[in-house]
Amino acid sequence: DDDKSCSSSFSIGKSAQERGLSYVPECYVIPTSHRPSLTPDVANVPIIDFGKLKQGSHERAIVIQEIRTACRQLGFFQDDIHIVNHGICQSVLDEALASASEIFKLPGSEKAKFMSDDVHKPVRYGTSFKDGTDKIQFWGVFLKHYAHPLADWINTWPDNPSNYRETMGKYCKEVKKLSFEITEAITESLGIGPTYMSNKLEDGLQVITVNCYPPCPNPEIALGLPPHSEYSCLTIVLQSCPGLEIMHAEEGAWKQVPQLHGALQVHGGDHFEVLSNGLYKSVVQRTTLIRERTRISIASLHSLGLDEKMGAAKELVDEEHPGRYKESSFKDFLNFPSTNDLKEGKSFINTLKI
């Protein structure tokens, strides 16, 4: 009976993954053609040495070119890069992951304080990718909260575990600073100058999603998250172990993003695709599961303000390259109806194409 009335049986707090079931209920089972491989190919993700951006104009120019190439690899796009020498101490990364994993070990009564299906809530604990309307359920739980300006939001975050605000606050601050540097490098690589987005991002949003993917008894028939692209400008990801896969456009194949100690992953989002007028494309990704261990990831999503519209940079639009996207805001995405059915492959970016 559990398996038939999925949405009610496995609501937040009672999901199969939170209960640690020893089997995968029917409504978590992915259609055969979408199932992950237990031995995926590993993606060849470019590694960008971010420290070189500050080593003088010659070194900077080389890194900017590397970023441009990474964003346009093979004429398609593989906008997933690892960045090393990013300036964030390893202890800050380790402590953020450690306190993030503690959140999910708290008793249900603690987590219940933040449970919600409302996508507009600034702090929210949930289990569903699409907030209660998935036809297929996904084997993960998350805590999502706003983080910029930090002083405005930090006191709304969980105060249990007791060090969560301090360790995650430190990480958020560092990663926000890094997001400005990455954005400057990306807009410079587009030829529109490093400060093109600075003010808008200063006034923009930072949303942290702490994801937990508990051990799954049958990882070959379920997913942690379905295929999706990020609806932000960019997302910076820290993960405890591999499990993130990206779609390799040229080959039409899923490949696993390798785990590099101390590296951060950077995904270009839908809004950078729009800004670049399609020169750079947002990366399509999904999350796979592991049989014997929990995977934790912290995604820091950076976008313009809630109502601020993103359009193509006018410098990248001309007769030969007409505008290819409608303008949209972060709020437009939040209001986007939940139609991202795995079988239909609908996505927000496709609704923006002219």
Side-chain angles (χ1 to χ4, degrees):
D1 175 52
D2 252 7
D3 289 7
K4 293 193 175 61
S5 57
C6 196
S7 52
S8 54
S9 305
F10 301 116
S11 54
I12 306 176
K14 297 185 288 188
S15 66
Q17 61 273 31
E18 289 168 291
R19 281 152 56 185
L21 293 187
S22 59
Y23 67 99
V24 173
E26 202 176 298
C27 59
Y28 284 78
V29 176
I30 301 293
T32 313
S33 58
H34 294 285
R35 288 183 190 171
S37 162
L38 291 183
T39 53
D41 287 340
V42 175
N44 181 17
V45 176
I47 298 167
I48 308 277
D49 183 342
F50 234 62
K52 290 185 175 169
L53 280 176
K54 300 189 177 87
Q55 284 180 6
S57 57
H58 176 67
E59 294 286 350
R60 184 178 176 90
I62 292 171
V63 177
I64 296 297
Q65 188 53 49
E66 284 175 357
I67 288 171
R68 185 173 171 81
T69 304
C71 291
R72 298 202 65 182
Q73 221 172 44
L74 304 172
F76 277 86
F77 162 80
Q78 196 71 20
D79 198 3
D80 184 274
I81 55 177
H82 275 124
I83 58 171
V84 292
N85 292 335
H86 42 63
I88 304 179
C89 290
Q90 189 61 43
S91 61
V92 171
L93 306 183
D94 294 342
E95 285 167 17
L97 278 174
S99 66
S101 79
E102 290 304 312
I103 283 276
F104 301 101
K105 296 174 187 165
L106 293 172
S109 56
E110 278 294 307
K111 292 183 280 201
K113 295 175 186 173
F114 300 101
M115 283 180 193
S116 175
D117 273 340
D118 178 1
V119 296
H120 297 281
K121 276 266 171 76
V123 183
R124 184 164 75 91
Y125 173 89
T127 55
S128 168
F129 182 59
K130 287 196 329 262
D131 316 292
T133 63
D134 287 318
K135 292 175 192 165
I136 294 172
Q137 299 280 88
F138 296 97
W139 198 275
V141 284
F142 65 82
L143 176 74
K144 200 171 262 197
H145 51 69
Y146 284 31
H148 178 74
L150 193 59
D152 291 0
W153 297 113
I154 194 164
N155 292 327
T156 65
W157 299 356
D159 54 5
N160 190 2
S162 58
N163 68 342
Y164 181 80
R165 290 178 182 176
E166 187 194 342
T167 56
M168 194 57 73
K170 216 179 272 183
Y171 176 72
C172 287
K173 218 157 125 182
E174 294 281 342
V175 92
K176 180 71 187 169
K177 202 171 84 187
L178 181 62
S179 76
F180 286 133
E181 293 170 13
I182 296 170
T183 300
E184 285 179 357
I186 289 175
T187 56
E188 189 171 331
S189 79
L190 278 169
I192 54 178
T195 58
Y196 193 89
M197 298 272 297
S198 302
N199 292 345
K200 286 183 174 178
L201 274 186
E202 183 55 66
D203 298 332
L205 290 175
Q206 178 184 18
V207 181
I208 296 287
T209 305
V210 183
N211 296 295
C212 172
Y213 304 100
C216 178
N218 291 100
E220 68 283 2
I221 61 171
L223 283 174
L225 275 182
H228 65 285
S229 59
E230 302 285 5
Y231 46 86
S232 54
C233 291
L234 70 121
T235 298
I236 301 172
V237 178
L238 172 64
Q239 59 175 4
S240 65
C241 60
L244 182 71
E245 293 188 349
I246 55 174
M247 171 53 75
H248 194 286
E250 178 94 330
E251 296 173 29
W254 287 104
K255 298 199 173 188
Q256 189 173 75
V257 175
Q259 172 80 355
L260 281 187
H261 185 67
L264 291 165
Q265 290 149 25
V266 179
H267 309 293
D270 291 348
H271 271 169
F272 268 161
E273 179 169 338
V274 171
L275 176 75
S276 74
N277 201 27
L279 273 173
Y280 298 173
K281 301 246 185 321
S282 53
V283 69
V284 177
Q285 59 194 297
R286 69 181 185 182
T287 304
T288 57
L289 301 161
I290 306 169
R291 196 184 306 273
E292 57 295 316
R293 65 184 290 194
T294 295
R295 176 176 173 269
I296 300 288
S297 74
I298 303 171
S300 180
L301 181 150
H302 303 270
S303 92
L304 307 182
L306 205 54
D307 297 299
E308 179 86 33
K309 299 272 187 190
M310 174 67 93
K314 59 183 187 311
E315 295 86 341
L316 301 175
V317 178
D318 56 32
E319 275 181 34
E320 278 177 54
H321 308 93
R324 297 172 58 185
Y325 302 86
K326 291 180 282 202
E327 292 191 340
S328 71
S329 68
F330 194 85
K331 187 181 267 183
D332 292 332
F333 174 83
L334 290 179
N335 296 331
F336 176 56
S338 299
T339 52
N340 187 17
D341 185 348
L342 266 181
K343 291 183 284 301
E344 293 166 25
K346 287 186 183 168
S347 68
F348 181 58
I349 189 72
N350 287 335
T351 68
L352 301 179
K353 290 178 179 170
I354 295 170

